[in-house]
């Protein structure tokens, strides 16, 4: 049942990304060249919505569906935050897609995105393979 | 029905994307993140004794169900409720892309660049294969992507995520300005 809910939330997220054109290669070009507000508007409304949601869950002491306490997400600094993010940024400019949009584009019937997705899986595997030689 | 066929303005799409963060926390204490599913798939298919892939991937398989949902969402938004018009990007971007022989056409991706036949060209390998490799490598190295750092991390006011978001935007902006025009001209 809970697994089904993750599928439904994923579908909602994917629909919002598609209809918001956040999975559009053209929109990414516009964003990276600062020639339109659309993508920035999406980030500037998505983040406060998420922040408000987390705040309300905490303040109202809401328990999760399984009765657990809500845990605040924590992100820890490591050097990969800088190095890895730059590498990802180059790939994002090349493909016009981050990981989420790759799945979405495959669902929308773009076979070429399936190739990008396979390459991204290979990239993740290569990182795992060479992790020990890289600065953390 | 008209609402589903037309593209959504940013002030509708943005909050819908953002609400996913508390929704996942409420349903199962899960943190929005998509690149982690790549690690999951590697662990399931080809762990090869690599430490990064030696973990109980079945226990965290929620993100695989989430990914299945994403594919379904793409089918709904991109096939069932497909926008027949090209995306309304700025005239400046249209002119720039035309100067690189990438005309604006309906759909999410320019068909002239993103098709399987491109694998016969250097340009196609750079855009599809090298691009994908960098996305997979970089997001794992940074332990997060646009959703995990950019949406969830920033929503939770985590400064490392702000740094990550600044870096992947900087990477994308620099690459789009100095390298991509050269690749598109190939």
């Amino acid at each position: 049942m809970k697994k089904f809910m993750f599928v439904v939330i994923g579908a909602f997220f994917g629909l919002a990304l598609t209809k918001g054109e956040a999975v559009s290669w053209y929109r990414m070009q516009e964003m990276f060249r600062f020639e339109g507000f659309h993508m920035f508007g999406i980030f500037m409304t998505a983040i406060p919505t998420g922040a408000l949601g987390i705040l309300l869950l905490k303040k109202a002491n809401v328990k999760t569906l399984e009765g657990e306490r809500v845990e605040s997400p924590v992100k820890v600094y490591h050097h990969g935050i800088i190095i890895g993010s730059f590498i990802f940024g180059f790939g994002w400019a090349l493909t016009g897609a981050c990981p989420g949009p790759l799945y979405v584009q495959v669902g929308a019937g773009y076979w070429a995105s399936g190739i990008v997705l396979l390459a991204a899986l290979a990239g993740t595997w290569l990182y795992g393979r060479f992790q020990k030689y890289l600065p953390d | 029905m008209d609402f589903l066929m037309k593209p959504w303005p940013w002030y509708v799409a943005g909050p819908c994307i953002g609400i996913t963060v508390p929704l996942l926390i409420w349903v199962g204490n899960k943190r929005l993140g998509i690149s982690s599913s790549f690690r999951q798939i590697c662990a399931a298919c080809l762990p090869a004794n690599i430490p990064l892939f030696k973990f109980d991937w079945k226990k965290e398989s929620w993100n695989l169900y989430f990914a299945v949902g994403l594919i379904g969402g793409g089918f709904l938004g991109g096939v069932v409720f497909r926008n027949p018009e090209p995306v309304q990007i700025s005239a400046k971007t249209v002119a720039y892309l035309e100067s690189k022989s990438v005309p604006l056409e309906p759909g999410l991706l320019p068909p002239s660049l993103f098709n399987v036949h491109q694998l016969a060209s250097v340009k196609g390998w750079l855009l599809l294969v090298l691009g994908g490799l960098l996305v997979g490598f970089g997001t794992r190295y940074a332990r997060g992507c646009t959703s995990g750092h950019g949406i969830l991390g920033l929503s939770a006011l985590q400064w490392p995520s702000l740094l990550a978001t600044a870096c992947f935007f900087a990477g994308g902006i620099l690459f789009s300005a100095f390298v991509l025009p050269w690749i598109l001209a190939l």
Side-chain angles (χ1 to χ4, degrees), chain B residues 145-161:
Chain B
C145 58
T146 329
S147 53
H149 281 309
I151 311 270
L152 170 88
L154 289 185
S155 292
L157 312 176
Q158 298 294 302
W159 72 265
S161 291

Side-chain angles (χ1 to χ4, degrees), chain A residues 19 30 35 69 103 125 135, chain B residues 4 8 37 81 90 93 141:
Chain A
K19 290 276 96 178
E30 184 192 51
E35 289 171 344
R69 275 177 59 93
Y103 288 111
W125 191 88
Chain B
L4 281 170
W8 299 353
S37 67
F81 305 120
S90 84
T93 314
Y141 201 167

Side-chain angles (χ1 to χ4, degrees), chain A residues 17 26 29 33-34 39 42-43 48 58-59 70 72 79 86 88 91 93-94 99-100 105-106 110 113 115 128 136:
Chain A
L17 284 178
Y26 301 103
Q29 302 307 313
R33 300 174 59 78
F34 295 105
M39 285 309 301
I42 288 188
F43 279 104
K58 292 286 250 182
K59 278 263 184 264
V70 168
S72 262
H79 296 311
F86 263 98
F88 163 45
L94 269 173
Q105 288 167 354
V106 169
Y110 291 86
S113 301
I115 297 168
D136 183 52

Side-chain angles (χ1 to χ4, degrees), chain B residues 74-130:
Chain B
F75 180 72
L76 280 177
V79 179
V80 181
F81 305 120
R82 182 175 195 270
N83 173 21
E85 304 288 327
V87 49
Q88 299 286 311
I89 49 169
S90 84
K92 264 176 136 175
T93 314
V94 175
Y96 162 74
L97 291 174
E98 260 167 19
S99 77
K100 299 287 167 201
S101 340
V102 185
L104 179 62
E105 292 177 64
L108 305 173
L109 303 163
S112 59
L113 295 178
F114 291 88
N115 64 69
V116 184
H117 305 292
Q118 278 288 347
L119 283 183
S121 72
V122 176
K123 189 156 106 177
W125 274 83
L126 290 174
L127 287 173
L128 303 174
V129 180
L130 179 69

Side-chain angles (χ1 to χ4, degrees), chain B residues 5-24:
Chain B
M5 299 305 287
K6 280 192 175 144
W8 299 353
W10 55 266
Y11 50 83
V12 174
C16 286
I17 290 166
I19 199 88
T20 310
V21 167
L23 213 53
L24 283 174

Side-chain angles (χ1 to χ4, degrees), chain A residues 55-110:
Chain A
L55 192 76
L56 288 176
L57 286 176
K58 292 286 250 182
K59 278 263 184 264
N61 232 334
V62 176
K63 293 270 192 298
T64 68
L65 281 185
E66 288 177 327
E68 293 171 18
R69 275 177 59 93
V70 168
E71 287 168 36
S72 262
V74 176
K75 301 278 178 179
V76 186
Y77 176 81
H78 62 116
H79 296 311
I81 289 262
I82 295 175
I83 313 168
S85 293
F86 263 98
I87 296 172
F88 163 45
F90 299 154
W92 190 9
L94 269 173
T95 62
C98 9
L102 286 179
Y103 288 111
V104 172
Q105 288 167 354
V106 169
Y110 291 86

